[in-house]
Protein backbone atom coordinates (compact mmCIF):
# COMPACT_ATOMS: atom_id res chain seq x y z
CA UNK A 1 0.00 0.00 0.00
CA UNK A 2 1.31 3.44 -0.96
CA UNK A 3 1.95 5.30 2.28
CA UNK A 4 5.28 7.14 1.96
CA UNK A 5 5.58 10.74 0.79
CA UNK A 6 9.14 10.29 -0.42
CA UNK A 7 11.92 7.69 -0.55
CA UNK A 8 15.62 8.08 0.14
CA UNK A 9 18.33 5.75 -1.12
CA UNK A 10 21.67 5.80 0.74
CA UNK A 11 21.86 5.33 4.50
CA UNK A 12 25.21 6.88 5.30
CA UNK A 13 25.07 9.56 8.00
CA UNK A 14 23.81 12.30 5.64
CA UNK A 15 21.02 10.06 4.35
CA UNK A 16 19.95 8.96 7.82
CA UNK A 17 19.91 12.52 9.14
CA UNK A 18 17.95 13.84 6.16
CA UNK A 19 15.35 11.09 6.68
CA UNK A 20 15.01 11.97 10.37
CA UNK A 21 14.70 15.66 9.45
CA UNK A 22 11.86 14.88 7.01
CA UNK A 23 10.19 12.69 9.64
CA UNK A 24 10.36 15.54 12.18
CA UNK A 25 8.48 17.73 9.71
CA UNK A 26 5.62 15.28 9.27
CA UNK A 27 6.68 13.47 6.11
CA UNK A 28 6.61 9.69 5.85
CA UNK A 29 9.90 8.47 4.37
CA UNK A 30 10.75 5.09 2.90
CA UNK A 31 14.39 4.15 3.48
CA UNK A 32 16.46 1.93 1.19
CA UNK A 33 20.11 0.99 0.97
CA UNK A 34 22.02 -1.23 -1.44
CA UNK A 35 23.21 -3.23 1.57
CA UNK A 36 19.71 -3.99 2.83
CA UNK A 37 20.85 -4.99 6.32
CA UNK A 38 21.52 -1.29 6.92
CA UNK A 39 17.79 -0.63 6.48
CA UNK A 40 16.94 -3.01 9.32
CA UNK A 41 19.68 -1.55 11.52
CA UNK A 42 18.47 2.00 10.88
CA UNK A 43 14.83 1.15 11.64
CA UNK A 44 15.84 -0.67 14.84
CA UNK A 45 18.10 2.09 16.12
CA UNK A 46 18.21 5.71 14.85
CA UNK A 47 14.70 5.60 13.34
CA UNK A 48 13.07 3.59 16.14
CA UNK A 49 9.77 5.12 17.21
CA UNK A 50 9.43 7.25 14.03
CA UNK A 51 7.09 6.91 11.04
CA UNK A 52 9.99 5.90 8.78
CA UNK A 53 9.35 2.73 6.80
CA UNK A 54 11.87 0.50 5.08
CA UNK A 55 12.13 -1.53 1.90
CA UNK A 56 14.15 -4.62 1.05
CA UNK A 57 14.20 -3.96 -2.70
CA UNK A 58 13.75 -1.08 -5.14
CA UNK A 59 10.49 -2.63 -6.34
CA UNK A 60 9.11 -2.73 -2.80
CA UNK A 61 10.29 0.84 -2.19
CA UNK A 62 8.50 2.13 -5.31
CA UNK A 63 5.30 0.27 -4.33
CA UNK A 64 5.20 2.14 -1.01
CA UNK A 65 5.32 5.63 -2.57
CA UNK A 66 2.39 7.95 -3.22
CA UNK A 67 2.17 9.36 -6.76
CA UNK A 68 3.91 11.20 -8.22
CA UNK A 69 6.68 9.12 -6.71
CA UNK A 70 9.56 11.16 -5.26
CA UNK A 71 12.93 9.46 -4.75
CA UNK A 72 16.10 11.04 -3.36
CA UNK A 73 19.45 9.49 -4.26
CA UNK A 74 22.11 10.22 -1.65
CA UNK A 75 24.89 8.04 -3.04
CA UNK A 76 28.41 8.76 -4.27
CA UNK A 77 28.45 11.16 -7.21
CA UNK A 78 29.29 9.59 -10.56
CA UNK A 79 28.56 6.09 -11.81
CA UNK A 80 26.60 5.03 -8.73
CA UNK A 81 23.95 7.66 -9.51
CA UNK A 82 23.63 6.47 -13.11
CA UNK A 83 23.43 2.83 -11.97
CA UNK A 84 20.52 3.55 -9.62
CA UNK A 85 18.73 5.65 -12.25
CA UNK A 86 19.01 2.76 -14.72
CA UNK A 87 17.44 0.38 -12.20
CA UNK A 88 14.69 2.83 -11.16
CA UNK A 89 13.40 3.94 -14.57
CA UNK A 90 11.65 0.63 -15.46
CA UNK A 91 9.81 0.78 -12.13
CA UNK A 92 8.54 4.37 -12.51
CA UNK A 93 5.70 6.06 -14.38
CA UNK A 94 5.50 9.30 -16.35
CA UNK A 95 5.72 12.28 -14.00
CA UNK A 96 7.62 10.48 -11.25
CA UNK A 97 10.61 12.35 -9.82
CA UNK A 98 14.23 11.36 -9.18
CA UNK A 99 16.28 13.75 -7.04
CA UNK A 100 20.08 13.51 -6.93
CA UNK A 101 21.32 15.00 -3.65
CA UNK A 102 24.93 13.81 -3.97
CA UNK A 103 26.54 17.06 -5.18
CA UNK A 104 27.08 15.77 -8.72
CA UNK A 105 29.02 17.66 -11.36
CA UNK A 106 26.58 20.01 -13.10
CA UNK A 107 27.15 18.59 -16.57
CA UNK A 108 26.08 15.16 -15.31
CA UNK A 109 22.93 16.77 -13.93
CA UNK A 110 22.22 18.47 -17.28
CA UNK A 111 22.68 15.16 -19.12
CA UNK A 112 20.46 13.21 -16.71
CA UNK A 113 17.75 15.87 -16.83
CA UNK A 114 17.71 15.73 -20.65
CA UNK A 115 17.79 11.93 -20.89
CA UNK A 116 15.10 11.33 -18.27
CA UNK A 117 12.82 13.99 -19.71
CA UNK A 118 12.72 11.95 -22.91
CA UNK A 119 11.47 9.02 -20.81
CA UNK A 120 8.83 11.08 -19.00
CA UNK A 121 10.73 11.16 -15.70
CA UNK A 122 11.34 14.48 -13.94
CA UNK A 123 14.94 14.85 -12.74
CA UNK A 124 16.24 17.27 -10.11
CA UNK A 125 19.86 17.82 -9.11
CA UNK A 126 20.07 19.40 -5.68
CA UNK A 127 23.03 20.66 -3.73
CA UNK A 128 22.77 19.72 -0.06
CA UNK A 129 25.03 21.84 2.11
CA UNK A 130 25.62 22.02 5.83
CA UNK A 131 27.17 18.65 6.62
CA UNK A 132 25.59 16.01 8.82
CA UNK A 133 24.34 18.57 11.34
CA UNK A 134 22.68 20.58 8.57
CA UNK A 135 21.06 17.45 7.13
CA UNK A 136 19.58 16.64 10.53
CA UNK A 137 18.36 20.07 11.60
CA UNK A 138 18.19 22.19 8.44
CA UNK A 139 20.43 22.15 5.37
CA UNK A 140 20.76 24.70 2.61
CA UNK A 141 19.10 23.07 -0.41
CA UNK A 142 19.78 24.20 -3.97
CA UNK A 143 17.50 22.30 -6.37
CA UNK A 144 17.59 22.70 -10.12
CA UNK A 145 16.65 20.72 -13.20
CA UNK A 146 13.15 20.02 -14.50
CA UNK A 147 10.98 22.82 -13.11
CA UNK A 148 7.84 20.72 -13.43
CA UNK A 149 9.07 18.79 -10.39
CA UNK A 150 9.22 21.83 -8.09
CA UNK A 151 5.51 22.02 -7.12
CA UNK A 152 5.70 18.37 -6.04
CA UNK A 153 8.82 18.70 -3.86
CA UNK A 154 8.59 22.32 -2.70
CA UNK A 155 6.71 21.60 0.55
CA UNK A 156 9.19 18.92 1.59
CA UNK A 157 12.32 20.84 0.61
CA UNK A 158 11.28 24.14 2.13
CA UNK A 159 9.92 22.36 5.19
CA UNK A 160 13.23 20.70 6.08
CA UNK A 161 15.59 23.49 4.94
CA UNK A 162 17.35 25.83 7.35
CA UNK A 163 15.35 28.92 8.29
CA UNK A 164 16.71 32.45 8.72
CA UNK A 165 15.36 35.87 9.59
CA UNK A 166 11.60 35.72 9.93
CA UNK A 167 11.53 32.07 8.93
CA UNK A 168 12.46 32.18 5.25
CA UNK A 169 13.65 28.73 4.14
CA UNK A 170 17.18 28.44 2.72
CA UNK A 171 15.85 26.67 -0.32
CA UNK A 172 14.57 28.01 -3.63
CA UNK A 173 14.71 27.04 -7.22
CA UNK A 174 18.03 27.80 -8.98
CA UNK A 175 36.92 33.47 15.22
CA UNK A 176 34.71 34.27 18.28
CA UNK A 177 34.97 38.10 18.51
CA UNK A 178 35.22 38.37 14.74
CA UNK A 179 31.98 36.42 14.49
CA UNK A 180 30.22 39.41 16.10
CA UNK A 181 31.29 41.67 13.21
CA UNK A 182 30.78 41.64 9.42
CA UNK A 183 32.56 38.26 9.42
CA UNK A 184 29.66 36.59 11.25
CA UNK A 185 29.58 33.20 9.51
CA UNK A 186 29.54 29.49 10.11
CA UNK A 187 33.22 28.93 9.27
CA UNK A 188 34.38 31.71 11.61
CA UNK A 189 32.13 30.30 14.33
CA UNK A 190 33.49 26.76 14.08
CA UNK A 191 37.08 28.04 13.76
CA UNK A 192 36.72 29.71 17.16
CA UNK A 193 35.37 26.48 18.62
CA UNK A 194 38.18 24.40 17.08
CA UNK A 195 40.93 26.73 18.31
CA UNK A 196 39.79 26.49 21.93
CA UNK A 197 38.92 22.78 21.91
CA UNK A 198 41.01 20.70 24.35
CA UNK A 199 41.85 17.02 24.07
CA UNK A 200 41.31 14.53 26.91
CA UNK A 201 44.80 15.35 28.24
CA UNK A 202 43.86 19.01 28.66
CA UNK A 203 46.04 20.14 25.74
CA UNK A 204 44.69 21.84 22.64
CA UNK A 205 43.71 19.33 19.95
CA UNK A 206 44.45 21.39 16.82
CA UNK A 207 48.30 21.24 16.98
CA UNK A 208 48.06 17.42 17.13
CA UNK A 209 46.13 17.11 13.84
CA UNK A 210 48.19 16.21 10.75
CA UNK A 211 48.40 19.27 8.48
CA UNK A 212 47.20 17.51 5.33
CA UNK A 213 43.76 18.61 4.12
CA UNK A 214 41.51 16.43 1.97
CA UNK A 215 38.86 17.41 -0.56
CA UNK A 216 35.75 15.85 -2.12
CA UNK A 217 35.77 17.62 -5.49
CA UNK A 218 33.35 20.57 -5.43
CA UNK A 219 36.15 23.14 -5.25
CA UNK A 220 38.01 21.34 -8.02
CA UNK A 221 34.90 21.34 -10.23
CA UNK A 222 34.44 25.06 -9.66
CA UNK A 223 38.06 25.75 -10.61
CA UNK A 224 37.76 23.60 -13.75
CA UNK A 225 34.58 25.42 -14.78
CA UNK A 226 36.23 28.78 -14.15
CA UNK A 227 39.08 27.84 -16.51
CA UNK A 228 36.67 26.48 -19.09
CA UNK A 229 34.63 29.69 -19.20
CA UNK A 230 37.56 32.09 -18.76
CA UNK A 231 36.41 33.51 -15.41
CA UNK A 232 39.15 34.41 -12.87
CA UNK A 233 37.80 32.57 -9.82
CA UNK A 234 41.26 32.78 -8.27
CA UNK A 235 40.42 32.31 -4.58
CA UNK A 236 38.72 28.95 -4.96
CA UNK A 237 41.52 27.88 -7.30
CA UNK A 238 44.17 28.86 -4.75
CA UNK A 239 42.22 27.20 -1.94
CA UNK A 240 42.18 23.93 -3.90
CA UNK A 241 45.88 24.20 -4.71
CA UNK A 242 46.66 24.95 -1.05
CA UNK A 243 45.01 21.68 -0.07
CA UNK A 244 46.99 19.89 -2.79
CA UNK A 245 50.20 21.42 -1.42
CA UNK A 246 49.28 20.43 2.12
CA UNK A 247 48.92 16.81 1.01
CA UNK A 248 52.63 16.74 0.09
CA UNK A 249 53.43 16.35 3.78
CA UNK A 250 56.44 14.04 3.42
CA UNK A 251 57.95 16.23 0.68
CA UNK A 252 57.42 19.34 2.77
CA UNK A 253 59.20 17.76 5.72
CA UNK A 254 62.25 17.19 3.51
CA UNK A 255 62.01 20.62 1.90
CA UNK A 256 61.80 22.32 5.30
CA UNK A 257 65.28 21.01 6.06
CA UNK A 258 66.83 22.34 2.84
CA UNK A 259 64.92 25.43 1.68
CA UNK A 260 65.47 28.67 3.59
CA UNK A 261 63.11 31.59 3.98
CA UNK A 262 63.58 35.07 5.49
CA UNK A 263 65.25 35.42 8.86
CA UNK A 264 62.76 35.04 11.67
CA UNK A 265 61.95 38.29 13.38
CA UNK A 266 59.89 39.15 16.43
CA UNK A 267 56.77 41.18 15.68
CA UNK A 268 57.21 44.55 17.33
CA UNK A 269 54.02 46.32 16.33
CA UNK A 270 50.76 46.72 18.21
CA UNK A 271 49.21 43.26 18.41
CA UNK A 272 45.62 44.42 18.76
CA UNK A 273 45.95 46.78 15.81
CA UNK A 274 47.53 44.09 13.64
CA UNK A 275 44.79 41.59 14.49
CA UNK A 276 42.32 44.19 13.24
CA UNK A 277 44.37 44.42 10.03
CA UNK A 278 44.08 40.66 9.60
CA UNK A 279 40.33 40.77 10.26
CA UNK A 280 39.85 43.42 7.59
CA UNK A 281 42.08 41.51 5.17
CA UNK A 282 39.87 38.46 5.67
CA UNK A 283 36.70 40.48 5.15
CA UNK A 284 37.99 42.06 1.93
CA UNK A 285 39.22 38.71 0.61
CA UNK A 286 35.86 37.15 1.43
CA UNK A 287 34.08 39.84 -0.58
CA UNK A 288 36.40 39.15 -3.52
CA UNK A 289 35.64 35.42 -3.32
CA UNK A 290 31.88 35.99 -3.46
CA UNK A 291 32.33 38.51 -6.27
CA UNK A 292 34.26 35.93 -8.28
CA UNK A 293 31.66 33.23 -7.57
CA UNK A 294 28.85 35.39 -8.90
CA UNK A 295 30.98 36.26 -11.95
CA UNK A 296 31.11 32.52 -12.71
CA UNK A 297 27.36 32.14 -12.22
CA UNK A 298 26.71 35.05 -14.59
CA UNK A 299 29.01 33.58 -17.27
CA UNK A 300 27.43 30.12 -16.91
CA UNK A 301 23.98 31.70 -17.28
CA UNK A 302 25.15 33.30 -20.54
CA UNK A 303 26.65 30.02 -21.80
CA UNK A 304 23.58 27.90 -21.05
CA UNK A 305 20.79 30.44 -21.44
CA UNK A 306 19.83 30.19 -17.76
CA UNK A 307 17.72 32.78 -15.99
CA UNK A 308 19.21 33.08 -12.51
CA UNK A 309 17.87 35.00 -9.54
CA UNK A 310 21.22 36.07 -8.06
CA UNK A 311 19.71 37.65 -4.96
CA UNK A 312 17.63 34.53 -4.32
CA UNK A 313 20.73 32.35 -4.71
CA UNK A 314 22.52 34.39 -2.05
CA UNK A 315 19.61 33.95 0.38
CA UNK A 316 19.66 30.15 -0.12
CA UNK A 317 23.11 30.12 1.47
CA UNK A 318 22.23 32.18 4.57
CA UNK A 319 21.45 29.16 6.74
CA UNK A 320 22.29 25.46 6.89
CA UNK A 321 25.22 25.87 4.50
CA UNK A 322 28.93 25.86 5.37
CA UNK A 323 29.38 29.19 3.55
CA UNK A 324 26.45 30.77 5.39
CA UNK A 325 27.25 34.33 6.35
CA UNK A 326 25.45 37.46 7.50
CA UNK A 327 26.55 39.55 4.54
CA UNK A 328 24.79 37.25 2.07
CA UNK A 329 21.82 39.50 2.79
CA UNK A 330 23.92 42.42 1.54
CA UNK A 331 24.46 40.54 -1.73
CA UNK A 332 20.68 40.17 -2.07
CA UNK A 333 20.34 43.92 -1.48
CA UNK A 334 22.96 44.65 -4.16
CA UNK A 335 21.12 42.64 -6.81
CA UNK A 336 17.79 44.14 -5.72
CA UNK A 337 19.27 47.58 -6.37
CA UNK A 338 20.64 46.51 -9.74
CA UNK A 339 19.58 43.11 -11.17
CA UNK A 340 22.07 43.62 -14.03
CA UNK A 341 24.99 44.28 -11.68
CA UNK A 342 28.17 43.11 -13.44
CA UNK A 343 30.27 42.63 -10.34
CA UNK A 344 29.61 42.94 -6.61
CA UNK A 345 32.65 45.22 -6.32
CA UNK A 346 30.78 47.83 -8.37
CA UNK A 347 27.93 48.00 -5.84
CA UNK A 348 28.23 50.99 -3.50
CA UNK A 349 28.10 48.89 -0.32
CA UNK A 350 30.83 46.45 -1.33
CA UNK A 351 32.91 49.16 -3.00
CA UNK A 352 32.97 51.11 0.27
CA UNK A 353 33.60 47.99 2.35
CA UNK A 354 36.69 47.03 0.35
CA UNK A 355 37.99 50.60 0.33
CA UNK A 356 37.62 50.71 4.12
CA UNK A 357 39.65 47.50 4.44
CA UNK A 358 42.28 48.28 1.83
CA UNK A 359 45.07 49.77 3.98
CA UNK A 360 44.78 46.97 6.56
CA UNK A 361 44.63 44.37 3.80
CA UNK A 362 47.89 45.61 2.26
CA UNK A 363 49.63 45.80 5.65
CA UNK A 364 48.63 42.24 6.53
CA UNK A 365 49.79 40.87 3.17
CA UNK A 366 53.10 42.73 3.13
CA UNK A 367 53.88 41.73 6.73
CA UNK A 368 53.14 38.10 5.97
CA UNK A 369 55.21 38.09 2.79
CA UNK A 370 58.22 39.59 4.59
CA UNK A 371 57.86 36.96 7.32
CA UNK A 372 57.70 34.14 4.78
CA UNK A 373 54.17 33.07 5.70
CA UNK A 374 52.13 31.51 2.86
CA UNK A 375 48.85 33.39 2.36
CA UNK A 376 47.53 32.12 -0.97
CA UNK A 377 44.00 33.48 -0.67
CA UNK A 378 44.83 36.90 0.84
CA UNK A 379 47.46 37.53 -1.83
CA UNK A 380 45.47 36.28 -4.81
CA UNK A 381 42.43 38.27 -3.66
CA UNK A 382 44.49 41.45 -3.51
CA UNK A 383 46.06 40.74 -6.90
CA UNK A 384 42.61 40.25 -8.41
CA UNK A 385 41.38 43.52 -6.90
CA UNK A 386 44.38 45.45 -8.20
CA UNK A 387 44.04 43.85 -11.62
CA UNK A 388 40.29 44.49 -11.84
CA UNK A 389 40.60 48.16 -10.87
CA UNK A 390 43.29 48.92 -13.49
CA UNK A 391 42.20 50.22 -16.87
CA UNK A 392 45.51 49.09 -18.37
CA UNK A 393 47.33 45.81 -17.66
CA UNK A 394 50.59 44.39 -19.09
CA UNK A 395 48.59 41.79 -21.02
CA UNK A 396 49.47 43.72 -24.18
CA UNK A 397 52.97 42.29 -23.82
CA UNK A 398 51.56 38.78 -23.41
CA UNK A 399 49.47 39.16 -26.56
CA UNK A 400 52.45 40.57 -28.47
CA UNK A 401 54.50 37.54 -27.38
CA UNK A 402 51.72 35.22 -28.54
CA UNK A 403 51.70 36.92 -31.91
CA UNK A 404 55.51 36.79 -32.08
CA UNK A 405 55.87 33.05 -31.42
CA UNK A 406 52.53 31.76 -32.70
CA UNK A 407 51.06 34.42 -35.01
CA UNK A 408 47.99 34.59 -32.75
CA UNK A 409 47.25 38.23 -33.74
CA UNK A 410 46.38 41.20 -31.54
CA UNK A 411 44.01 44.15 -31.47
CA UNK A 412 45.02 47.80 -31.34
CA UNK A 413 43.44 50.05 -28.72
CA UNK A 414 42.44 52.38 -31.54
CA UNK A 415 40.93 49.57 -33.64
CA UNK A 416 39.02 47.13 -31.39
CA UNK A 417 37.63 44.09 -33.18
CA UNK A 418 40.28 44.19 -35.93
CA UNK A 419 42.89 41.43 -35.50
CA UNK A 420 46.38 42.13 -36.82
CA UNK A 421 49.60 40.16 -37.19
CA UNK A 422 53.09 41.63 -37.31
CA UNK A 423 56.14 40.04 -38.92
CA UNK A 424 58.28 40.76 -35.85
CA UNK A 425 61.56 39.29 -37.18
CA UNK A 426 61.31 40.26 -40.83
CA UNK A 427 61.39 36.66 -41.97
CA UNK A 428 58.38 35.11 -40.28
CA UNK A 429 55.81 35.81 -42.98
CA UNK A 430 52.45 37.52 -42.76
CA UNK A 431 50.11 34.54 -42.30
CA UNK A 432 48.40 34.44 -38.90
CA UNK A 433 46.99 31.47 -37.03
CA UNK A 434 43.32 31.16 -36.16
CA UNK A 435 42.54 33.51 -33.30
CA UNK A 436 40.78 32.18 -30.23
CA UNK A 437 40.02 33.28 -26.71
CA UNK A 438 41.14 31.17 -23.78
Amino acid sequence: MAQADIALIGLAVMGQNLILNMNDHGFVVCAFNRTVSKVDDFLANEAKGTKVVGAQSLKEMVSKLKKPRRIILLVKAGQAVDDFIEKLVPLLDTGDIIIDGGNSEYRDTTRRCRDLKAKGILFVGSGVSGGEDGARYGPSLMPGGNKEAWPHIQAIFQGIAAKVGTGEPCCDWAFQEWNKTELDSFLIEITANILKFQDTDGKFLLPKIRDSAGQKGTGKWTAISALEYGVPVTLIGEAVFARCLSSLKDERIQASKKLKGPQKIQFEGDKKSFLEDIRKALYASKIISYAQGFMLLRQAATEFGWTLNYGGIALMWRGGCIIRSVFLGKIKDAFDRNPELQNLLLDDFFKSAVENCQASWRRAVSTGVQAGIPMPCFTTALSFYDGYRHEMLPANLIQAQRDYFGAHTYELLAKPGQFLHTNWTGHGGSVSSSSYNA
Side-chain angles (χ1 to χ4, degrees):
M1 176 182 174
Q3 60 188 49
D5 299 300
I6 193 166
L8 189 145
I9 299 173
L11 295 182
V13 65
M14 287 286 288
Q16 291 188 15
N17 282 357
L18 207 57
I19 288 173
L20 295 175
N21 186 352
M22 289 188 281
N23 176 81
D24 289 349
H25 287 84
F27 301 105
V28 178
V29 188
C30 182
F32 179 76
N33 196 79
R34 184 171 55 183
T35 305
V36 293
S37 60
K38 282 194 172 184
V39 177
D40 296 330
D41 291 343
F42 178 56
L43 294 177
N45 294 286
E46 292 85 0
K48 187 176 182 180
T50 70
K51 295 181 179 180
V52 178
V53 297
Q56 299 294 305
S57 68
L58 290 176
K59 185 175 181 179
E60 181 188 357
M61 180 195 76
V62 169
S63 72
K64 291 185 174 181
L65 288 172
K66 301 173 185 176
K67 292 187 176 182
R69 302 179 183 96
R70 293 162 287 198
I71 300 168
I72 297 176
L73 296 175
L74 219 61
V75 299
K76 186 176 180 180
Q79 190 60 46
V81 177
D82 289 321
D83 290 345
F84 268 111
I85 289 174
E86 185 177 356
K87 293 174 183 177
L88 283 169
V89 167
L91 304 174
L92 301 180
D93 296 326
T94 298
D96 287 345
I97 301 161
I98 297 175
I99 304 158
D100 173 21
N103 290 333
S104 291
E105 211 269 349
Y106 73 94
R107 277 169 288 212
D108 286 338
T109 299
T110 301
R111 168 179 57 80
R112 291 165 184 150
C113 190
R114 180 191 63 238
D115 293 348
L116 287 172
K117 183 178 181 181
K119 299 175 182 178
I121 306 298
L122 307 182
F123 183 78
V124 173
S126 178
V128 180
S129 186
E132 58 188 76
D133 191 63
R136 181 65 183 88
Y137 300 108
S140 172
L141 298 172
M142 296 152 276
N146 195 318
K147 288 192 73 171
E148 293 178 37
W150 182 233
H152 304 291
I153 66 173
Q154 182 176 4
I156 297 175
F157 270 48
Q158 293 191 334
I160 67 173
K163 308 297 190 297
V164 295
T166 55
E168 308 102 301
C170 293
C171 172
D172 205 343
W173 196 253
F175 301 3
Q176 207 156 11
E177 289 301 315
W178 287 3
N179 210 42
K180 299 174 184 176
T181 68
E182 306 97 324
L183 289 172
D184 183 359
S185 67
F186 175 69
L187 290 176
I188 294 293
E189 176 186 338
I190 67 170
T191 299
N193 292 337
I194 290 168
L195 287 170
K196 66 185 180 183
F197 190 89
Q198 295 180 345
D199 203 354
T200 53
D201 60 4
K203 296 180 180 179
F204 290 110
L205 176 60
L206 184 60
K208 301 179 182 181
I209 297 175
R210 180 178 169 89
D211 55 317
S212 180
Q215 57 177 310
K216 295 190 73 174
T218 46
K220 180 180 74 175
W221 293 341
T222 302
I224 290 171
S225 294
L227 289 169
E228 183 177 354
Y229 302 128
V231 181
V233 186
T234 59
L235 270 92
I236 290 179
E238 285 292 350
V240 171
F241 291 141
R243 292 190 188 193
C244 295
L245 179 59
S246 77
S247 69
L248 304 177
K249 176 64 174 177
D250 294 336
E251 281 187 50
R252 290 189 290 111
I253 291 173
Q254 296 302 314
S256 69
K257 299 172 183 176
K258 297 180 180 181
L259 303 179
K260 303 299 180 184
Q263 184 178 355
K264 290 186 178 180
I265 56 173
Q266 184 72 28
F267 179 73
E268 297 179 350
D270 181 82
K271 182 179 178 181
K272 185 176 181 180
S273 176
F274 187 61
L275 284 173
E276 177 63 6
D277 283 345
I278 297 174
R279 186 192 71 81
K280 287 186 173 181
L282 177 57
Y283 183 41
S285 299
K286 190 172 177 179
I287 290 173
I288 297 295
S289 188
Y290 279 97
Q292 291 180 348
F294 277 91
M295 287 170 66
L296 182 57
L297 287 175
R298 184 173 290 281
Q299 184 60 33
T302 300
E303 295 279 344
F304 293 101
W306 296 339
T307 300
L308 298 182
N309 178 354
Y310 299 105
I313 289 170
L315 291 189
M316 279 196 296
W317 295 329
R318 283 198 302 169
C321 174
I322 64 167
I323 64 168
R324 62 182 181 262
S325 170
V326 166
F327 81 38
L328 287 166
K330 298 295 185 181
I331 295 177
K332 167 71 161 56
D333 294 341
F335 283 110
D336 282 349
R337 286 189 290 271
N338 181 6
E340 302 302 318
L341 183 65
Q342 275 192 305
N343 192 300
L344 282 175
L345 295 174
L346 302 179
D347 174 75
D348 286 344
F349 173 83
F350 290 105
K351 172 178 171 288
S352 297
V354 172
E355 287 176 353
N356 180 55
C357 293
Q358 190 171 161
S360 290
W361 194 8
R362 296 185 188 281
R363 280 194 297 269
V365 167
S366 61
T367 302
V369 168
Q370 290 179 12
I373 298 171
M375 302 173 297
C377 292
F378 276 13
T379 52
T380 198
L382 186 56
S383 292
F384 173 87
Y385 178 73
D386 283 337
Y388 191 69
R389 69 180 182 82
H390 270 85
E391 180 182 351
M392 289 290 294
L393 292 171
N396 52 353
L397 175 57
I398 297 172
Q399 194 61 23
Q401 290 172 329
R402 296 182 72 242
D403 187 56
Y404 190 111
F405 65 68
H408 290 299
T409 74
Y410 56 85
E411 296 173 87
L412 293 174
L413 290 170
K415 297 179 180 180
Q418 183 177 341
F419 293 89
L420 306 172
H421 168 59
T422 290
N423 183 354
W424 298 90
T425 64
H427 52 76
S430 58
V431 178
S432 64
S433 69
S434 298
S435 61
Y436 65 91
N437 292 319

